[in-house]
Amino acid sequence: MPGNSFGVLFRITTFGESHGPSVGVIVDGCPPRIPMDENVIQEMLNRRRPGGSSASTRRKEADQAQILSGVFNGLTTGTPITILVNNKDADSSAYEPYAEIFRPGHGDITYQAKYSVRDWRGGGRASARETVGRVAAGAVARALLTRNGIGIQAYTIELGGIVAAGRDLHAVDQNPYGCPDMAAAELMEKRIQSVRKAGDTVGGIVEILAQGVPPGLGEPVFDKLDADLAKALMSIGAVKGVEIGEGFQAVRLLGSENNDPILPDGFASNRAGGILAGISNGDTILMRVAVKPIPSIAKEQQTVDVSNSPQTISIKGRHDIAAIPRINVVCESMVALVLADHLLRQEVIA
Amino acid sequence: MPGNSFGVLFRITTFGESHGPSVGVIVDGCPPRIPMDENVIQEMLNRRRPGGSSASTRRKEADQAQILSGVFNGLTTGTPITILVNNKDADSSAYEPYAEIFRPGHGDITYQAKYSVRDWRGGGRASARETVGRVAAGAVARALLTRNGIGIQAYTIELGGIVAAGRDLHAVDQNPYGCPDMAAAELMEKRIQSVRKAGDTVGGIVEILAQGVPPGLGEPVFDKLDADLAKALMSIGAVKGVEIGEGFQAVRLLGSENNDPILPDGFASNRAGGILAGISNGDTILMRVAVKPIPSIAKEQQTVDVSNSPQTISIKGRHDIAAIPRINVVCESMVALVLADHLLRQEVIA
Amino acid sequence: MPGNSFGVLFRITTFGESHGPSVGVIVDGCPPRIPMDENVIQEMLNRRRPGGSSASTRRKEADQAQILSGVFNGLTTGTPITILVNNKDADSSAYEPYAEIFRPGHGDITYQAKYSVRDWRGGGRASARETVGRVAAGAVARALLTRNGIGIQAYTIELGGIVAAGRDLHAVDQNPYGCPDMAAAELMEKRIQSVRKAGDTVGGIVEILAQGVPPGLGEPVFDKLDADLAKALMSIGAVKGVEIGEGFQAVRLLGSENNDPILPDGFASNRAGGILAGISNGDTILMRVAVKPIPSIAKEQQTVDVSNSPQTISIKGRHDIAAIPRINVVCESMVALVLADHLLRQEVIA
Amino acid sequence: MPGNSFGVLFRITTFGESHGPSVGVIVDGCPPRIPMDENVIQEMLNRRRPGGSSASTRRKEADQAQILSGVFNGLTTGTPITILVNNKDADSSAYEPYAEIFRPGHGDITYQAKYSVRDWRGGGRASARETVGRVAAGAVARALLTRNGIGIQAYTIELGGIVAAGRDLHAVDQNPYGCPDMAAAELMEKRIQSVRKAGDTVGGIVEILAQGVPPGLGEPVFDKLDADLAKALMSIGAVKGVEIGEGFQAVRLLGSENNDPILPDGFASNRAGGILAGISNGDTILMRVAVKPIPSIAKEQQTVDVSNSPQTISIKGRHDIAAIPRINVVCESMVALVLADHLLRQEVIA
């Protein structure tokens, strides 16, 4: 029944509800003697906070990280690292209308079915606010990965039907949508504005790169690197699809087109996305995730209440228009957690 | 480092290499008093065997299942169920040329990088023959699911560029490609024949349905039902992408289009694919996987040997032209394992 | 590498150092709809606090429990329950002399060997203060057990060489040593006073009963109920031995003496201690643990510093003279955690 | 519910019933490139076979080990190692009288309570025959430990009331009881003969040493080395108590007596038994286990049948008079499995 832990050797457990006192995470298994302080965490949490783009909610959360354990004199000690973020701007009264009614596209109805009780304030545990713990833990994982020369970057390649034409990674930080195509980013801004006016929401596609991953990571036959990445990414609330390398495009290639020729200085192409037989091959790991539109919409929808009587619902309040770009750092964090875990798992052999 | 187990409460561990003495599986955690014998296993193993379609290898394996433990007087006893299949038609000599050379698109190079040693005969542990254990365990899982009114069906919706126009599920067993569109199945046959002649291979898309799944299955926030399904399916050798419900199509919908309205007698649509916030909602669970082309091709390819010297390679022998349709029962089995596990996990609460 | 979690279905993760900001625990897997609030936790934490007996430290800790997640409107929700206790009266300066020297009988030298870094303040993670999280989680486990009619009681049957002659369980709460023999308790008080004057410490034996445990708990062949109880109890810092039922006395009995005859209304004796073949048999579960003397003594001892140079050490400060009786509720808590976990594990079958 | 796996990184899963087709084990997580063949396994299995002493059954089992996977060209490959032993001399008809009656001191009644079904032939899964898998896996673990300079030895220090006066480890292999005191071994032989005539059985104490264990093994605060050793040893069928170092004797020592002084060249004594705060300290690890008398006795006992009607029972057949000395290699194997696992877990840091 417990499902709030992730990872085998670099293992995290997240906790907290959207409108409870706090959200946070315990990281158990981080190696000792890694430089760590609250700034390392805060830098990543800040990327998750709303405010950068028109797509974001106006809920204001300082998201101030406190480290409660596992760090001493600026170094990790090998004991569990607990990171706490207190909830500040939680206005539960706005949610009272939804205490007895199920919002379509949300987990209200399934949490009720599963537990026969639920914290309905702000989506409770099913809120995207839960990802604070993931990002905080991801920051710790990244400190370990950076020491090993591994870097991770996520960027938006599609949003509300606008597709990035290129992959100018320098542009990613230059626009509010994390898009590697400045012209597309401008169109995304217009698209978001118009969708917001219509009381609707949009989805998109995030692409994630992991560079510098050594060959040999991944544990066949079930804890393959791609399998664990798929689980990690699919466990993010809004994600409905995951692909590695060519992904769904690979099905239209011939074997002779899809195989990456091997040359003495590396692979001649990277259709595999850096993973062969579930083990990293030393090339860039390439992933894409499908992000569904935010289900909280102002438009009227049909639904039922807890007595299964028909109702209509129109969700007001401070909601994102798209999970992108705030989700991008969450994707990076989940990839970081998988890679940190598998890096340690491979150290057992090496 | 161990990665050969899957599941928490319904837990399997597979073993065996393609050309070793045996392949098989232990199922630990199957509830007691479920009717079980070797025929239940054999029926599923037979669906995995080659021979049905032109896409399959001509390797002949009886794949005769033996139950070594955990069943007494025709019932499971609650103790570990071990299922063994001895390898018969393993012609290792055909693989001797590949002892020192890495086949492109295969795990040869990554296994070597990971373990610094590998059983090169027939791909060793990375062979698709490893899925025998998954299918055998899946047969046990299905016995549990059937008792609970849950059915699973996989079928081919795309192969070598040929797309099924409809979803006539009665047709699935009527053609060798497991395709729900008889006309498309005929085109698939022609496509396979022509690709075989060209010494090449193809990929495709398998869609999987799980019907009768009760609401409430799935353990937020990491062991969500869709996250575990994604891992299960992505852990199959040839799979490069997984999507749930609308999947990658959801990114082009508005929130108002993508949300499934809730009516007193159920959901008005099923774009979510039967899962909300990682928990089953009672509707049909709908998944699709991208299956890459088989990497063993007769066409000449560039590669290197274990000394990293450039080589060319042309892979002869008894290989499938497509992982489809033999992979379909493997997909069903992985889904069955996830559902059996989560069914038991939910029983703890209910 | 992570080792701070315990349990499979009722799973806890503890965190915190003696002189860090906080100690605490996450309980993941507690069933929903169990009445819970901070008083339930506080009642058990208060039993762990010093003050009751002459054997205890004079460190004053309010040990005020805060529930940060997983409880809503007085009920558990099925999501992770986080319990936080802030450290208040931590005087780290008293430990500065021990920053560079290893206290005999403590984990200073082994933590240094393992992690090459350690939080030396108050023993850091190896402090008995870590058991706050165990007791808080144990309180949640007990709420579940009480609902199922299971009760747990620990009491002191030996302390500093004084042995309880009887088992008057009504007396246990009537003396500061938790002893089921009032006369022995008085002798224990005298013994403690004299040992304190001598600058020394003592050990003892705690016996633990679990009553009302249904038959069928325990998962052969490794997660047997007695195996998990042994691990749970041996994981408590001061414990050096664990026995079940007759334990080490069973080795001097004949088979005909040690077997418990089975009568239609139950077992005629309980030498097995309520467990047969690793599974509860419905009788009272009976355990005993050997508690070593507290290693922090005022008497001078030989040791080395971090440079491996010989040193002498005399440990002043606010230390317990015996881990008993404060350890008794820790023993109860660990037993509660094992039983709650196995109760849920058996529900999967039943 | 699954309970047949042990270990985190060096992880085993055992299977098989006493009178089923086979018993065996999968080892998942053994590092690659360790020399391995069936002789390595067989040597340990032979030590477990009956025949050496008067205390043993006359059941004849060749216990011939077959390696089915994970070894190639005499080396482990990093993939799961499966070891199978077929049952040969299983005379189930001798057990037919016990199909409907519960043998006192055995798991018959608890397996029935737990699973509502059981394989009653020879005790089924609860038979000591299950330890074949433990010993086979232990042989693999020992190969890893030997490479790291770690040795393990178990010996009998008490049997049927006869206590070994000394610890002459050279004598252990010189007598059929694995006793480090030749004179005591002779008395043990006489004691066994007389108990056998009386239709009764005896217990004893096994002491186990692990030498060469590096400091730093053990994962606080739950997977401490002593906690995992306690679980490992208590999971053996006949074991009712476990102690480390001074164990239950430590409770009668003062702190000043029990602490091991630390000198520049090591500890001045080893009352701790080689473990401090759950982490190995580099000294010899010393354990003792209480082994109960074999419950199968010829003497008449009171019991009930599956309908809970009173019955008497007198167990004839080929039974051991004591679990010692056959259990000694099982104890060694369990200790080896714990140490191999923790050796790998510590490699992640080191």
Side-chain angles (χ1 to χ4, degrees), chain B residues 9-333:
Chain B
L9 288 182
F10 192 98
R11 185 165 178 83
I12 72 164
T13 304
T14 68
F15 64 89
E17 279 77 42
S18 180
H19 290 213
S22 320
V23 291
V25 68
I26 299 180
V27 179
D28 194 11
C30 181
R33 301 185 307 282
I34 294 179
M36 183 58 48
D37 61 27
E38 280 146 358
N39 293 327
V40 171
I41 314 294
Q42 199 62 51
E43 186 186 348
M44 286 297 149
L45 286 180
N46 289 347
R47 289 182 52 203
R48 191 201 150 278
R49 285 169 59 202
S53 77
S54 303
S56 300
T57 171
R58 274 156 284 166
R59 176 171 170 174
K60 294 274 184 298
E61 284 286 2
D63 282 354
Q64 194 70 41
Q66 296 172 262
I67 297 177
L68 298 186
S69 66
V71 174
F72 182 59
N73 287 343
L75 294 177
T76 61
T77 60
T79 63
I81 302 168
T82 307
I83 304 163
L84 190 75
V85 171
N86 288 321
N87 292 324
K88 303 279 190 193
D89 186 25
D91 176 10
S92 298
S93 64
Y95 283 89
E96 273 169 25
Y98 313 132
E100 308 248 308
I101 194 169
F102 301 133
R103 295 168 300 159
H106 277 284
D108 300 351
I109 195 168
T110 52
Y111 268 70
Q112 187 69 33
K114 183 173 189 68
Y115 300 112
S116 303
V117 65
R118 71 196 163 92
D119 181 347
W120 46 261
R121 301 168 303 170
R125 181 73 178 140
S127 164
R129 191 146 181 79
E130 170 265 323
T131 59
V132 163
R134 301 178 182 223
V135 172
V140 180
R142 293 173 93 131
L144 176 63
L145 295 176
T146 301
R147 195 181 69 170
N148 286 271
I150 299 172
I152 300 167
Q153 187 173 18
Y155 44 83
T156 306
I157 62 169
E158 183 171 337
L159 183 64
I162 312 298
V163 179
R167 295 287 187 276
D168 176 9
L169 298 186
H170 300 293
V172 171
D173 290 338
Q174 309 301 315
N175 64 78
Y177 293 99
C179 181
D181 172 343
M182 292 301 285
E186 281 184 43
L187 295 172
M188 288 173 184
E189 174 67 22
K190 284 178 190 153
R191 177 76 173 131
I192 289 290
Q193 300 282 10
S194 102
V195 168
R196 178 187 290 276
K197 266 183 214 145
D200 223 323
T201 58
V202 293
I205 299 179
V206 177
E207 190 167 271
I208 311 126
L209 299 177
Q211 287 171 306
V213 178
L217 305 199
E219 303 293 336
V221 294
F222 295 110
D223 296 352
K224 289 174 170 174
L225 191 57
D226 39 3
D228 276 356
L229 287 167
K231 172 168 178 164
L233 292 166
M234 194 71 96
S235 78
I236 302 172
V239 173
K240 298 298 284 185
V242 179
E243 55 182 16
I244 309 285
E246 288 294 314
F248 278 89
Q249 297 311 312
V251 311
R252 278 134 216 163
L253 300 176
L254 293 168
S256 58
E257 295 166 329
N258 189 57
N259 284 348
D260 299 307
I262 315 178
L263 308 179
D265 56 354
F267 294 91
S269 57
N270 186 17
R271 294 190 186 280
I275 300 176
L276 280 171
I279 301 171
S280 62
N281 67 12
D283 214 330
T284 297
I285 296 178
L286 180 70
M287 300 147 273
R288 274 177 301 279
V289 298
V291 179
K292 75 170 185 178
I294 292 280
S296 292
I297 58 174
K299 281 192 176 167
E300 190 176 279
Q301 301 177 82
Q302 285 179 287
T303 187
V304 298
D305 60 25
V306 292
S307 313
N308 203 34
S309 300
Q311 301 286 352
T312 58
I313 189 170
S314 169
I315 300 172
K316 307 297 197 293
R318 306 169 300 177
H319 297 288
D320 290 345
I321 301 304
I324 292 171
R326 294 180 65 200
I327 205 174
N328 296 21
V329 69
V330 180
C331 293
E332 289 179 6
S333 299

Side-chain angles (χ1 to χ4, degrees), chain A:
Chain A
M1 212 167 55
N4 295 281
S5 297
F6 186 78
V8 175
L9 288 182
F10 193 99
R11 184 166 178 83
I12 73 164
T13 305
T14 69
F15 64 89
E17 279 78 41
S18 180
H19 290 213
S22 320
V23 290
V25 68
I26 299 180
V27 179
D28 195 10
C30 181
R33 303 184 307 281
I34 294 179
M36 184 57 49
D37 61 27
E38 280 146 357
N39 293 327
V40 172
I41 314 295
Q42 198 63 50
E43 187 187 347
M44 286 298 147
L45 285 180
N46 289 348
R47 289 181 53 204
R48 192 199 151 278
R49 285 169 58 202
S53 77
S54 303
S56 300
T57 170
R58 275 158 283 167
R59 175 169 170 176
K60 295 274 183 300
E61 284 287 0
D63 283 352
Q64 194 69 41
Q66 296 172 263
I67 296 178
L68 299 185
S69 66
V71 175
F72 181 59
N73 287 344
L75 294 177
T76 61
T77 61
T79 63
I81 302 168
T82 307
I83 304 164
L84 190 75
V85 171
N86 288 320
N87 292 325
K88 302 280 189 189
D89 186 26
D91 176 11
S92 297
S93 65
Y95 283 89
E96 274 170 23
Y98 313 131
E100 309 246 310
I101 192 170
F102 300 133
R103 295 168 301 159
H106 277 284
D108 301 351
I109 195 168
T110 52
Y111 268 70
Q112 188 69 34
K114 182 173 189 67
Y115 300 112
S116 303
V117 63
R118 71 195 162 92
D119 181 346
W120 45 261
R121 303 167 303 169
R125 182 72 178 141
S127 163
R129 191 147 181 76
E130 170 265 323
T131 60
V132 163
R134 301 179 182 223
V135 173
V140 180
R142 292 172 93 130
L144 176 63
L145 295 176
T146 301
R147 197 179 66 169
N148 286 271
I150 300 172
I152 299 167
Q153 187 174 17
Y155 43 83
T156 307
I157 61 169
E158 183 171 338
L159 182 64
I162 312 297
V163 178
R167 294 288 187 277
D168 176 7
L169 297 187
H170 299 292
V172 172
D173 290 338
Q174 309 300 317
N175 66 76
Y177 293 98
C179 181
D181 173 344
M182 293 301 287
E186 281 184 42
L187 294 173
M188 288 172 182
E189 174 68 23
K190 285 179 190 153
R191 176 77 172 132
I192 289 291
Q193 300 283 9
S194 102
V195 167
R196 179 187 290 276
K197 267 184 211 144
D200 220 322
T201 59
V202 293
I205 299 179
V206 178
E207 189 166 271
I208 310 125
L209 299 177
Q211 286 171 305
V213 178
L217 306 198
E219 303 293 336
V221 294
F222 295 111
D223 297 352
K224 288 174 171 172
L225 192 58
D226 40 2
D228 276 356
L229 288 167
K231 171 168 178 164
L233 292 166
M234 194 71 97
S235 77
I236 303 171
V239 173
K240 298 298 283 184
V242 179
E243 56 182 15
I244 309 285
E246 288 294 314
F248 279 89
Q249 297 310 313
V251 312
R252 277 133 216 164
L253 299 176
L254 292 168
S256 57
E257 295 166 328
N258 189 58
N259 284 349
D260 299 307
I262 315 179
L263 307 180
D265 55 353
F267 294 92
S269 57
N270 186 18
R271 295 189 187 280
I275 301 175
L276 280 172
I279 300 171
S280 62
N281 66 13
D283 215 329
T284 297
I285 296 179
L286 181 69
M287 300 148 273
R288 274 177 302 279
V289 298
V291 179
K292 75 172 186 178
I294 293 281
S296 292
I297 58 175
K299 280 192 175 167
E300 191 175 278
Q301 301 175 83
Q302 284 179 288
T303 187
V304 299
D305 59 24
V306 292
S307 314
N308 204 34
S309 300
Q311 302 286 350
T312 59
I313 188 170
S314 168
I315 300 172
K316 306 299 196 296
R318 306 169 299 176
H319 297 288
D320 289 344
I321 301 304
I324 293 171
R326 294 180 65 200
I327 206 174
N328 296 20
V329 69
V330 180
C331 293
E332 289 179 7
S333 299
M334 292 309 301
V335 170
L337 291 167
V338 172
L339 292 177
D341 190 35
H342 279 278
L343 193 70
L344 296 180
R345 292 172 83 170
Q346 179 62 4
E347 278 186 26
V348 177
I349 298 182

Side-chain angles (χ1 to χ4, degrees), chain C residues 43-65:
Chain C
E43 187 186 349
M44 286 298 147
L45 285 180
N46 289 347
R47 288 182 54 203
R48 192 199 151 278
R49 286 170 57 202
S53 78
S54 303
S56 300
T57 172
R58 273 156 284 166
R59 176 171 170 174
K60 296 273 185 298
E61 284 287 1
D63 283 352
Q64 194 69 42

Side-chain angles (χ1 to χ4, degrees), chain C residues 101-126:
Chain C
I101 193 170
F102 300 133
R103 295 168 299 160
H106 277 284
D108 300 351
I109 195 168
T110 51
Y111 268 69
Q112 188 69 34
K114 183 174 188 68
Y115 301 111
S116 303
V117 65
R118 71 196 163 92
D119 181 346
W120 46 260
R121 302 168 302 169
R125 182 72 178 141

Side-chain angles (χ1 to χ4, degrees), chain D residues 18-19 95 103 106 108 111 119-127:
Chain D
S18 180
H19 290 213
Y95 283 89
R103 293 167 302 158
H106 277 285
D108 300 351
Y111 268 70
D119 180 347
W120 46 261
R121 301 167 304 169
R125 182 73 179 140
S127 164

Side-chain angles (χ1 to χ4, degrees), chain C residues 254, chain D residues 53-55 159-163 175-177 179 181-202 321-322:
Chain C
L254 293 168
Chain D
S53 77
S54 302
L159 183 63
I162 312 297
V163 178
N175 66 78
Y177 293 99
C179 181
D181 174 344
M182 292 301 288
E186 282 184 40
L187 294 172
M188 288 172 183
E189 174 68 23
K190 285 178 191 154
R191 177 76 173 132
I192 290 290
Q193 300 283 8
S194 103
V195 167
R196 179 186 290 278
K197 266 183 213 145
D200 221 323
T201 59
V202 293
I321 301 302

